[in-house]
Amino acid sequence: MADGFVLTEEHLAFRDVVREICADRIAPRAAEIDRSGEFPSDVAKTLADNGLLGLHVPTEYGGSGADTLTFCLLVEEVARVCASSSVIPLVQKLGSMPLLMAASHEQKQRWFPAIASGEDLISYCISEAEAGSDPASMRTTAVRDGDDWVLNGTKTWISMASASQAFTVLAKTDPDAGARGVSAFYVRHDDPGFSVGRAEDKLGIKGSPTCQVHFDDCRIPGDRLLGEQDRGFFYAMQAFDHTRLVVGAQAVGIAQGAIDAASAYVAQRRQFGRPVGAFQGVQFKLADMVTETAAARQLVYTAAAKADRGDDDLTLYSSMAKLKAGDVAMAVTTDAVQLHGGYGYTKDYPVERFMRDAKITQIYEGTQEIQRVVIARQVLGRLS
């Protein structure tokens, strides 16, 4: 079975279109989005109007039915100019992956057209204060009451929470069964007992609201259960296989944006009578930044191709892509700040924003430490 990927003419044409949209409509807003910390609803509308929020949704449910590689190109290009904005399509896919995997045909017909059009943004609710890297320890519960389900608990670190209309929620239906007692549900923002709590004051991706969400006797219809009862944790882990690599694409985009800015700066900034870029020490640093980013990109694209083919080593490659790209993004953006000297430490230049934004790619959708555990288990499991 092939391990690689191929960027077709269609992929390249799509990338060019997205790059133009980003340059015209998103890049000019990036600094203000970061400064204000407000959700960029205008960017969300631009993405929706161009059919980019339903890119991953099958055509029969109103989407474009694009492959994972195309989706990675979208996220990478948006992150290249504004990481906050790139969270919008990233979370749109994360929140809807369990629906794609577990929802019935009738449920998909009901819910996906609004998701595909961008009318509904959808968030993913799994983390809790005491259940971050160990989601099986969650305490949010879902109890049957007649024909309904009643949810109680609090979720934390929910990306896009205050902007979303729909939520995929993981809750314990058998509190004593650990990971085997978790189920997945579709919840609406106007369901009784649902509320969005305080927003976090974050280091980066400031334009992406990250909030608590509360379930206080939140009552939802019985037909909002996704797939089989007590199979939610399986759906969640399967979804991560398809979205961790997209975080890798986001990280690659952030790194590329930092390289773009640093390259332009060292080419025009003069010291000791010549451009800073003429010094070998600067050239070596820039060469390493470009090479590492290219290597991370290749791993992300390979993982995306594996997702589309359904390869049995997707878990391994998705985690490797997220691990490598996240670490590269952090290193590259830090070096980009260094290449700007003192100016890199100011908000007059975008590299300090890139550095702050890069950090989250080492944390969410599984920390780098968790990725290393997953990778090692995959390797050792194949030996047994």
Side-chain angles (χ1 to χ4, degrees):
M1 181 176 292
D3 287 329
F5 65 90
V6 175
L7 283 181
T8 64
E9 290 298 321
E10 289 78 9
H11 285 125
L12 297 174
F14 172 81
R15 186 180 65 185
D16 289 343
V17 169
V18 173
R19 188 170 290 177
E20 184 175 350
I21 292 171
C22 290
D24 292 344
R25 304 294 298 277
I26 303 177
R29 291 270 289 118
E32 174 59 20
I33 290 168
D34 179 69
R35 187 198 65 77
S36 69
E38 295 178 1
F39 175 70
S41 54
D42 59 319
V43 172
K45 185 176 187 305
T46 294
L47 295 172
D49 290 348
N50 285 278
L52 299 175
L53 293 185
L55 200 64
H56 63 293
V57 177
T59 55
E60 62 181 312
Y61 303 121
S64 302
D67 61 19
T68 307
L69 189 49
T70 300
F71 194 87
C72 285
L73 293 172
L74 166 65
V75 172
E76 179 184 342
E77 289 300 318
V78 178
R80 187 175 182 174
V81 299
C82 179
S84 289
S85 296
S86 73
V87 178
I88 301 171
L90 194 162
V91 171
Q92 192 79 339
K93 179 165 185 172
L94 174 63
S96 56
M97 279 306 299
L99 275 66
L100 284 171
M101 294 172 172
S104 67
H105 176 64
E106 187 274 333
Q107 288 174 322
K108 292 174 182 176
Q109 285 182 316
R110 266 193 293 157
W111 300 330
F112 266 121
I115 293 171
S117 69
E119 177 184 349
D120 279 356
L121 299 179
I122 181 167
S123 291
Y124 188 52
C125 302
I126 184 169
S127 295
E128 299 182 8
E130 303 300 326
S133 293
D134 180 19
S137 297
M138 70 180 65
R139 296 180 180 176
T140 298
T141 60
V143 178
R144 267 287 192 183
D145 184 22
D147 292 333
D148 297 337
W149 289 97
V150 178
L151 278 64
N152 279 284
T154 295
K155 296 291 183 179
T156 59
W157 309 112
I158 308 307
S159 297
M160 306 285 297
S162 60
S164 291
Q165 293 74 40
F167 300 81
T168 297
V169 180
L170 278 294
K172 284 285 185 72
T173 40
D174 185 350
D176 299 322
R180 290 191 173 92
V182 175
S183 299
F185 300 89
Y186 175 82
V187 177
R188 299 287 305 179
H189 68 107
D190 54 359
D191 285 329
F194 175 87
S195 62
V196 176
R198 68 179 180 87
E200 304 293 342
D201 185 7
K202 307 190 302 293
L203 173 72
I205 57 167
K206 289 178 173 289
S208 175
T210 303
C211 312
Q212 293 182 341
V213 296
H214 304 291
F215 305 92
D216 299 304
D217 290 329
C218 177
R219 184 174 292 272
I220 61 173
D223 63 359
R224 298 272 197 86
L225 174 71
L226 301 178
E228 299 177 33
Q229 184 174 330
D230 299 331
R231 290 277 287 168
F233 191 79
F234 170 78
Y235 304 141
M237 295 303 102
Q238 198 173 37
F240 281 141
D241 285 346
H242 290 266
T243 56
R244 280 175 173 160
L245 64 93
V246 182
V247 174
Q250 180 189 45
V252 167
I254 294 170
Q256 187 62 56
I259 289 170
D260 296 342
S263 299
Y265 182 82
V266 300
Q268 60 85 28
R269 171 69 170 169
R270 298 183 69 85
Q271 290 285 276
F272 304 101
R274 52 180 174 157
V276 170
F279 292 95
Q280 191 178 68
V282 170
Q283 293 175 351
F284 281 8
K285 188 179 290 292
L286 192 61
D288 287 344
M289 293 161 65
V290 171
T291 301
E292 286 295 297
T293 300
R297 180 181 289 112
Q298 298 295 303
L299 191 50
V300 169
Y301 290 3
T302 296
K306 286 180 175 292
D308 290 326
R309 291 194 299 260
D311 290 1
D312 61 5
D313 56 357
L314 173 60
T315 299
L316 172 64
Y317 272 81
S318 188
S319 282
M320 288 196 301
K322 196 266 187 189
L323 173 65
K324 178 64 175 177
D327 286 352
V328 166
M330 196 69 248
V332 165
T333 55
T334 301
D335 283 345
V337 170
Q338 191 71 22
L339 288 178
H340 279 69
Y343 289 112
Y345 204 64
T346 72
K347 293 185 184 297
D348 294 334
Y349 291 83
V351 287
E352 64 86 30
R353 167 167 52 87
F354 285 124
M355 187 177 75
R356 289 186 286 105
D357 290 339
K359 186 59 192 173
I360 194 59
T361 66
Q362 294 182 306
I363 297 173
Y364 62 10
E365 292 213 35
T367 64
Q368 303 300 72
E369 292 75 17
I370 289 295
Q371 303 314 315
R372 288 179 168 91
V373 170
V374 171
I375 293 164
R377 286 178 177 172
Q378 287 293 308
V379 172
L380 294 173
R382 294 171 188 278
L383 299 177
S384 61

